[in-house]
Amino acid sequence: MPTSGIRPLVAGNWKMNGLRRSMDTIEALSTRANEEGVLEALDMLVCPPATLISLAVKTVDTTPIHIGAQSCHPAESGAHTGDVAPEMLRDVGASYVITGHSERRADHGETDADVNAQSVGAWRAGLCAIVCVGETREEREAGRAVDVVVGQLAGSVPDGATAENTVIAYEPVWAIGTGLTPTVEDIAQIHAAIRQSVADRFGAEGEAMRLLYGGSVKPGNAAEVLSPAHVDGALVGGASLSASDFMGIATAVKGLVDA
Ligand code: PGA
């Protein structure tokens, strides 16, 4: 349930999926977002692979759907083969970048300190950082979910975070791509803890920061899993690859705002 006064964000993470022909999906999203009026109620963002950012920015054209990236290097430039600087993402029209996604933490060994540095780099380039946190199944079963998430926040979110330059995404690792979701009580508990943590640290900026839930959000479960307090939208993986599924989730969030 988006917090009163906070404009929700429905963000899609395409991961390592998409070729130029996938612009069909962006075109369909633009058309439907305009027709269905969802952008009056919320922000939509698509994070395609880096190869498609420039094309996606051109494809959304005048529709105010934001385009973002899935990761960035902390530095502006330099001898870092294969990496992409935040300034490069900004240069091709990205406005957001995901930092600390659990797949980056797992596949590339990214630590809280790395995520922190990437987020600082994102801000330097004028990008909003979507900082991801979330516990593993073992951590949840050990009763440590809140502690893990609050610890990741402390390490991953840099000093100076504001409601404008930072979004937090709670994504339990065991719910990503599995079809499993936490109970609404569990989501409510974690989101309350995240709100408390960012409000304690950043004051009014933390109160106004957008907190997203991510992990197996689909059109059929969105109204339920996004219903707890302090859930200001969603970070969507698999379902963001289909324009109609992604629109279904955006429509569900609009329904929560209108309710
Ligand atoms: P999923 O992915 O929606 O496919 O579970 C979410 C994410 O990893 O951001």
Side-chain angles (χ1 to χ4, degrees), residues 163-190:
E164 203 184 337
N165 68 18
T166 303
V167 173
I168 309 295
Y170 167 55
E171 298 205 306
V173 176
W174 53 273
I176 294 175
T178 58
L180 302 172
T181 54
T183 63
V184 285
E185 290 77 16
D186 288 340
I187 295 172
Q189 182 196 30
I190 298 278

Side-chain angles (χ1 to χ4, degrees), residues 62-83:
T62 55
T63 305
I65 292 176
H66 302 279
I67 302 298
Q70 300 171 12
S71 179
C72 65
H73 190 279
E76 186 176 349
S77 62
H80 304 290
T81 302
D83 278 313

Side-chain angles (χ1 to χ4, degrees), residues 13 15 101 103 171 175-178 214-218 235-239:
N13 170 14
K15 310 190 180 188
H101 190 280
E103 287 154 16
E171 298 205 306
I176 294 175
T178 58
S216 296
V217 180
K218 311 285 176 211
L235 180 54
V236 183

Side-chain angles (χ1 to χ4, degrees), residues 51 59-60 80 82-84 90 97 105 117 119 128 148-149 154 159 163 167 230-231 246 255 258:
T51 50
T59 305
V60 292
H80 304 290
D83 278 313
V84 178
R90 183 79 202 146
V97 60
R105 293 179 186 260
S119 303
C128 177
V148 166
V149 166
D159 291 340
V167 173
H230 304 298
V231 180
F246 196 48
D258 293 343

Side-chain angles (χ1 to χ4, degrees), residues 135-148 174:
E135 82 286 355
T136 63
R137 172 161 294 291
E138 295 69 39
E139 289 164 341
R140 171 154 292 277
E141 284 171 357
R144 295 181 49 233
V146 170
D147 286 351
V148 166
W174 53 273

Side-chain angles (χ1 to χ4, degrees), residues 26-147:
I26 305 265
E27 273 167 26
L29 267 182
S30 296
T31 305
R32 289 196 48 187
N34 281 324
E35 279 171 6
E36 295 171 33
V38 291
L39 297 172
E40 286 152 25
L42 50 88
D43 287 337
M44 288 181 84
L45 164 70
V46 178
C47 300
T51 50
L52 293 177
I53 291 172
S54 180
L55 199 51
V57 168
K58 287 193 191 84
T59 305
V60 292
D61 193 22
T62 55
T63 305
I65 292 176
H66 302 279
I67 302 298
Q70 300 171 12
S71 179
C72 65
H73 190 279
E76 186 176 349
S77 62
H80 304 290
T81 302
D83 278 313
V84 178
E87 280 76 4
M88 296 169 177
L89 300 170
R90 183 79 202 146
D91 185 47
V92 290
S95 47
Y96 288 79
V97 60
I98 299 168
T99 61
H101 190 280
S102 67
E103 287 154 16
R104 300 289 311 175
R105 293 179 186 260
D107 294 357
H108 298 270
E110 291 182 1
T111 63
D112 286 339
D114 294 325
V115 178
N116 191 304
Q118 292 164 7
S119 303
V120 170
W123 298 349
R124 183 191 62 236
L127 301 171
C128 177
I130 302 180
V131 183
C132 300
V133 294
E135 82 286 355
T136 63
R137 172 161 294 291
E138 295 69 39
E139 289 164 341
R140 171 154 292 277
E141 284 171 357
R144 295 181 49 233
V146 170
D147 286 351

